């Protein structure tokens, strides 16, 4: 069996100045400012000891001083190897709280799949609790090899394709690993980079020139024109390596707020920067080699999406504001008169009774069961929209009461965070405001009891209305007016109120990523358009 072995790949000068080539290359490795790059100046650059000003550019200091050094020999783990790293110079930092000692670990899975983790061996940090389908033992004959620099040398690593020597990942410049700022740069085989879903692009292929940076963070952010992240979090990319169709993909398995940058080094190398503000570095590499293979290999690990029903691929009609069952009937009639094909009718949340989930308005939508029968008899499927935030009414609204009994709602991580103006009787639940005219709480879908409660509510609702599908909306989760005076749709005449997040390391991280600078970012906080980070 071919083993992955630690190989010395670089013999760089440990001290002294860099060669001119390395120096100009380094200058492209930008020092990121929390306020954005518009503020770049020599004085601003001097605020960060991990950064250096050269020829009008503020860039990261070189790896031998700013990064980590390999500390000891690599150890075989039976499933790959691991090696200790230590911070080269504790005085070089972006935001402080650098992790002094790290472990770099290579874990072999299928022959096309290798995992690389960089983590703090002493203090456990957050790892995404998503169950992954991984083989019980490493498969023989891996398609990859992983190299890391030798004992005492500045830390670099690379992942290579054994069949042809393609370098799939080659760390560039220093690794930064602080409590709330983690940054890794890699040279890419080509500029044919795709992926990182839910970003605004004019082409599927990513752009390297000019340098482009995108945030990755789930919140209520609709499609825009500037580089921004919409709704979801997909830190997964693919690179087409060469003219022979070889391709690989990489998942950064981390759910903290992130951003990524694509740019060219001064020698023209397409380069990718990955930044995240918590957790660990946990990379999964898939070696394809075809893009189709990558989809199968990746979904074999994370799971496949549910097979969509055939009818869901048909023609849909949806809007906010049908206002009544007759509004839907009229729309359906117009479709028929105009001969426009229709397979699915969607009702947005105006069908609800005061925008409460699992209800329908007894006045304007009182004959909703009849409407659904009529649509079914007309061969039309019915989708209903649900927004998972529930109104706080434990006395007269059974879904919320059952949710409270099952303890399914998101809480403040510490009772001391409960705001003094929070709704009475809400214990330490985090309270916000969305569409209904009263405040809401948010189901915590990471808890198994929430899945049980949610499924039961859907069943009870289906007994009342025979819907064919549910469209789950606003579950980033979305919250209106976080940190502002009041939400945009706050009822007139009520005293202004909004969910206001406490000042602490989670809600005011030193590097909140560029997401606070894109879109309708009014509060300039990481909780903008979503709930507070100080939750549990
Ligand atoms: C629903 O009511 C709103 C506000 O009165 C109106 O603008 C809209 O056209 C109505 N929708 C339909 C389908 O009639
Ligand atoms: C409402 C608001 O402050 N929007 C700003 C968000 O950030 C972008 C980019 O910096 C600005 O152009 C917007 O004005």
């Amino acid at each position: 069996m071919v083993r992955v072995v630690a190989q010395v790949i670089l013999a760089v000068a440990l001290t002294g100045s860099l060669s001119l080539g390395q120096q100009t290359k380094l200058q492209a490795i930008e020092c990121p400012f929390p306020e954005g790059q518009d503020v770049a100046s020599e004085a601003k650059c001097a605020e960060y000891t991990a950064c250096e000003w050269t020829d009008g550019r503020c860039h990261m200091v070189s790896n031998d001083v700013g990064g980590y050094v390999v500390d000891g020999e690599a150890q075989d783990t039976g499933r790959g190897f691991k090696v200790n790293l230590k911070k080269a110079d504790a005085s070089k930092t972006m935001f402080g709280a650098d992790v002094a000692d790290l472990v770099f670990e290579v874990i072999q899975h299928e022959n096309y799949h290798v995992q690389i983790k960089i983590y703090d061996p002493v203090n456990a940090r957050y790892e995404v609790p998503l169950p992954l389908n991984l083989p019980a033992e490493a498969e023989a004959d891996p398609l990859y090899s992983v190299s890391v620099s030798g004992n005492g040398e500045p830390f670099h690593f690379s992942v290579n394709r054994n069949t042809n020597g393609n370098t799939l990942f080659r760390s560039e410049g220093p690794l930064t690993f602080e409590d709330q700022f983690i940054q890794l740069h890699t040279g890419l085989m080509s500029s044919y980079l795709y992926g990182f879903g839910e970003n605004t692009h004019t082409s599927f292929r990513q752009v390297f020139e000019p340098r482009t940076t995108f945030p990755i963070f789930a919140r209520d952010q609709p499609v825009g024109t500037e580089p921004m992240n919409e709704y979801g979090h997909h830190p997964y990319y693919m690179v087409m390596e060469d003219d022979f169709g070889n391709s690989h993909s990489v998942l950064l398995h981390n759910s903290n707020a992130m951003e990524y940058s694509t740019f060219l080094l001064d020698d023209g190398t397409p380069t990718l920067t990955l930044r995240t503000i918590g957790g660990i570095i946990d990379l999964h590499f898939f070696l394809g080699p075809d893009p189709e293979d990558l989809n199968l290999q990746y979904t074999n690990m994370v799971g496949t999406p549910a097979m969509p029903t055939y009818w869901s691929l048909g023609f849909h009609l949806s809007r906010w504001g049908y206002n009544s069952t007759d509004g839907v009937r009229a729309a359906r009639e117009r479709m028929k008169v105009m001969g426009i094909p229709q397979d699915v009718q969607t009702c947005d949340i105006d069908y609800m009774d005061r925008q409460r989930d699992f209800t329908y308005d007894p006045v304007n939508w009182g004959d909703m069961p009849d409407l659904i029968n009529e649509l079914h008899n007309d061969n039309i499927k019915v989708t209903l929209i649900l927004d998972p935030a529930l109104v706080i009414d434990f006395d007269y609204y059974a879904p919320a009461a059952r949710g409270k009994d099952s303890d399914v709602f998101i809480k403040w991580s510490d009772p001391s965070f409960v705001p003094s103006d929070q709704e009475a009787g809400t214990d330490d639940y985090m309270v916000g405001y969305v569409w209904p005219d009263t405040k809401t709480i948010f189901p915590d879908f990471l808890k198994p009891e929430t899945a049980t409660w949610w499924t039961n509510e859907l069943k009870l609702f289906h007994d009342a209305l025979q819907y064919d599908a549910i469209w789950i909306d606003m579950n980033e989760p979305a919250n209106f007016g976080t940190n502002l005076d009041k939400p945009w749709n706050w009822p007139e005449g009520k005293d202004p109120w909004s969910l206001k997040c406490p000042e602490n390391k989670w809600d005011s991280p030193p590097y909140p990523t560029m997401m606070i600078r894109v879109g309708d970012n009014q509060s300039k906080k990481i909780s903008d358009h979503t709930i507070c980070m100080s939750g549990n």
Side-chain angles (χ1 to χ4, degrees), residues 37-348:
Q37 299 313 109
D38 292 350
V39 303
S41 69
E42 189 163 5
K44 189 82 204 164
C45 193
E47 291 176 16
Y48 301 94
T49 51
C51 304
E52 187 179 319
W53 182 264
T54 316
D55 298 338
R57 292 156 101 181
C58 184
H59 58 88
M60 303 304 297
V61 295
S62 66
N63 188 28
D64 55 339
V65 285
Y68 284 78
V69 172
V70 173
D71 184 25
E73 300 298 333
Q75 303 147 32
D76 192 320
T77 60
R79 187 90 189 229
F81 69 90
K82 60 182 175 181
V83 68
N84 295 327
L85 311 177
K86 68 171 194 288
K87 177 92 180 147
D89 178 349
S91 73
K92 303 288 187 225
T93 189
M94 287 298 302
F95 306 101
D98 293 75
V99 178
D101 298 289
L102 293 170
V103 170
F104 172 86
E105 182 167 2
V106 176
I107 307 163
Q108 295 176 256
H109 297 299
E110 293 88 352
N111 68 345
Y112 57 77
H113 172 195
V114 63
Q115 180 182 8
I116 293 183
K117 289 175 89 165
I118 305 178
Y119 58 93
D120 180 342
V122 181
N123 302 300
R125 297 171 57 81
Y126 186 77
E127 296 188 38
V128 186
L130 178 73
L132 299 178
N133 177 32
L134 299 171
E137 46 190 272
E139 251 179 45
D141 302 327
L143 296 172
Y144 52 80
S145 57
V146 179
S147 305
V148 63
S149 35
N151 188 4
E153 293 184 346
F155 167 67
H156 275 280
F157 75 98
S158 67
V159 179
N160 305 288
R161 182 182 294 284
N162 288 341
T163 48
N164 58 11
N166 280 357
T167 302
L168 313 184
F169 198 98
R170 188 187 64 244
S171 64
E172 289 283 357
L175 162 70
T176 310
F177 202 122
E178 302 174 355
D179 183 28
Q180 291 192 280
F181 184 77
I182 296 174
Q183 176 177 259
L184 181 66
H185 318 277
T186 175
L188 300 175
M189 260 310 279
S190 83
S191 61
Y192 288 87
L193 171 70
Y194 303 86
F196 297 111
E198 306 242 350
N199 296 143
T200 309
H201 292 273
T202 51
S203 66
F204 287 123
R205 189 178 163 194
Q206 304 270 337
V207 171
F208 287 80
E209 218 179 355
R211 180 190 310 257
T212 315
T213 306
F214 283 93
I216 303 180
F217 195 56
R219 62 165 179 161
D220 186 17
Q221 176 60 62
V223 179
T225 49
E226 52 181 324
M228 57 167 68
N229 180 209
E230 285 119 30
Y231 302 115
H233 186 107
H234 297 273
Y236 176 69
Y237 70 84
M238 180 187 85
V239 175
M240 303 276 294
E241 296 159 27
D242 53 30
D243 291 344
F244 309 102
N246 287 304
S247 44
H248 66 270
S249 63
V250 181
L251 171 71
L252 172 53
H253 193 218
N254 177 301
S255 61
N256 289 82
M258 296 184 185
E259 65 187 26
Y260 71 93
S261 278
T262 45
F263 60 101
L264 301 177
L265 294 182
D266 288 355
D267 66 3
T269 309
T271 304
L272 172 68
T273 295
L274 299 169
R275 297 190 185 108
T276 179
I277 63 171
I280 67 165
I281 294 180
D282 187 2
L283 299 163
H284 287 266
F285 294 83
F286 301 92
L287 273 81
D290 290 338
E292 277 186 46
D293 298 331
L294 295 174
N295 288 339
L296 293 173
Q297 293 165 359
Y298 176 61
T299 54
N300 178 58
M301 180 179 83
V302 298
T304 45
M307 179 71 113
T309 59
Y310 186 64
W311 60 261
S312 72
L313 306 175
F315 295 103
H316 293 241
L317 189 65
S318 172
R319 71 167 282 181
W320 160 272
Y322 287 119
N323 300 338
S324 67
T325 46
D326 282 344
V328 178
R329 288 187 179 99
R332 175 68 197 132
E333 275 316 303
R334 285 194 298 276
M335 296 294 276
K336 281 172 143 170
V337 168
M338 298 296 175
I340 301 173
Q342 183 183 0
D343 301 287
V344 188
Q345 177 64 54
T346 295
C347 297
D348 207 330

Side-chain angles (χ1 to χ4, degrees), residues 289-461:
D290 290 338
E292 277 186 46
D293 298 331
L294 295 174
N295 288 339
L296 293 173
Q297 293 165 359
Y298 176 61
T299 54
N300 178 58
M301 180 179 83
V302 298
T304 45
M307 179 71 113
T309 59
Y310 186 64
W311 60 261
S312 72
L313 306 175
F315 295 103
H316 293 241
L317 189 65
S318 172
R319 71 167 282 181
W320 160 272
Y322 287 119
N323 300 338
S324 67
T325 46
D326 282 344
V328 178
R329 288 187 179 99
R332 175 68 197 132
E333 275 316 303
R334 285 194 298 276
M335 296 294 276
K336 281 172 143 170
V337 168
M338 298 296 175
I340 301 173
Q342 183 183 0
D343 301 287
V344 188
Q345 177 64 54
T346 295
C347 297
D348 207 330
I349 64 169
D350 50 342
Y351 73 79
M352 293 179 187
D353 182 15
R354 290 175 295 154
Q355 273 132 43
R356 290 171 175 227
D357 286 335
F358 315 114
T359 67
Y360 58 96
D361 173 359
V363 180
N364 296 314
W365 298 78
D367 61 346
M368 190 130 180
D370 297 337
L371 171 70
I372 293 181
N373 281 337
E374 288 158 37
L375 290 167
H376 282 166
N377 291 337
D378 209 4
N379 211 18
I380 302 287
K381 303 289 184 186
V382 178
T383 299
L384 301 181
I385 297 189
L386 282 180
D387 295 348
L390 258 66
V391 293
I392 308 164
D393 179 354
F394 300 126
D395 295 331
Y396 299 103
Y397 177 50
R402 285 188 289 262
K404 188 175 187 209
D405 288 345
S406 303
D407 198 16
V408 306
F409 301 112
I410 293 175
K411 294 175 171 166
W412 293 99
S413 56
D414 189 296
S416 70
F417 294 150
V418 177
S420 56
D421 62 357
Q422 180 159 310
E423 198 83 355
T426 49
D427 306 336
D428 49 355
Y429 293 139
M430 193 184 292
V431 172
Y433 185 82
V434 200
W435 292 114
D437 58 3
T438 53
K439 297 176 194 171
T440 57
I441 39 184
F442 303 85
D444 181 352
F445 286 100
L446 285 175
K447 293 176 78 172
E449 46 272 48
T450 309
T452 308
W453 162 81
W454 178 254
T455 311
N456 183 53
E457 296 305 327
L458 288 177
K459 278 188 186 146
L460 294 174
F461 189 39

